[in-house]
Amino acid sequence: MTVDAVIEVEHLSVKRGGHVVLPDLSLTIERGSVVGLLGPSGGGKSTAIRSIVGVQRIESGTVTVLGLPAGHPELRHRVGYTTQSPSIYADLSVRDNVRYFARILGVANHREAADRAIETVDLTDHANRHARELSGGQLSRASLAAALVGDPEVLVLDEPTVGLDPVLRRDLWDMFRALADAGRTLLVSSHVMDEAVRCDRLLLLRSGRLIADDTLPDLLARTGAADAEGAFLALVEAGVS
Ligand SMILES: Nc1ncnc2c1ncn2[C@@H]1O[C@H](COP(=O)(O)OP(=O)(O)OP(=O)(O)O)[C@@H](O)[C@H]1O
Ligand SMILES: [Mg+2]
C-alpha cells in the first residue's frame, strides 16, 4: 500500500443476486482528495461503496481503509458513511438523531458537535423537526450531518446531492472541498456527470468496470470531449470497458 493511500481496493469481486456485479475492481484513493465515483445507474457505484465501508459480502479481493480491512471495528469512528437512501430515525428530530449518532461514536461535547454538524448542512432552522416531516433533500442532509458529527477522517457518500437544488449542491461541494483541504478524504458517488468538475479525480464505473480513473482535464484531453458526459460517451463508443 502506498504511503498516502487511504482506500485501497485490489481485485475486488462481488456478486449480488447470483450475478457478478463487480468482476475485478482495483483502485486507490489518496488522502486529502475528493474523488468522484460516477457512472450510470446499475453500474455498481453503491456496491463498490458498500464494499469499502465493509457492509457488502465480497467474493474475493481485498479492501483496505486506513490500513485496516474494510469493516474493521476501529473504522467505525474513522469513516463516515451515508447510504443512498437516508438512514436516520423517522420519529426523532433532526437534532436528536444527530446527537444519537454523536453519542454512539463517543463524541466529546456531543450536543455542540451535533449543532455544528446540523449547521454545516444548513438544517439549523429544521433541527427540531421530526425526520419524517422533512423533504427528500433535507433528509439526505440530515443523514450527512449524522455522518459528519464524529469528524471522520474518511467520508464515503453515496449520492449525497440527489434531489438538492443547485445552490445547496454547490454549498455541499464547497463543504466537501473544505473538508479535503483540512486533510479529510472523500469518495462521493453521483450519476450527475457535471459534478465531475468538483472532483480531484474521477472514477467512471460502467457495468462494474472502471472505464476511467483520471483527473477531469486529463480525461477531456484524452477523449477530446468538452465535458465529463461527453468523455464518458466517447469512452463507451471507443469500446473501453
Ligand atoms: N440487493 C440486491 N440484490 C441483487 N442485485 C442487486 C442488489 N442491489 C443491486 N443489485 C444489482 O447490482 C448492480 C449494481 O447495483 P448498484 O446499486 O451497485 O449500482 P449503482 O451504480 O449504485 O446504481 P444507481 O445509480 O441506480 O444507484 C445492478 O445490476 C443491480 O441490479
Ligand atoms: Mg447506487
Side-chain angles (χ1 to χ4, degrees), residues 137-149:
Q138 290 166 341
L139 257 184
S140 51
R141 281 184 286 146
S143 297
L144 190 55
L148 286 171
V149 74

Side-chain angles (χ1 to χ4, degrees), residues 16-17 21 40-47 84 159 191:
R16 296 183 83 170
V21 172
S41 179
K45 300 180 297 296
S46 293
T47 305
Q84 191 164 345
E159 309 239 9
H191 58 255

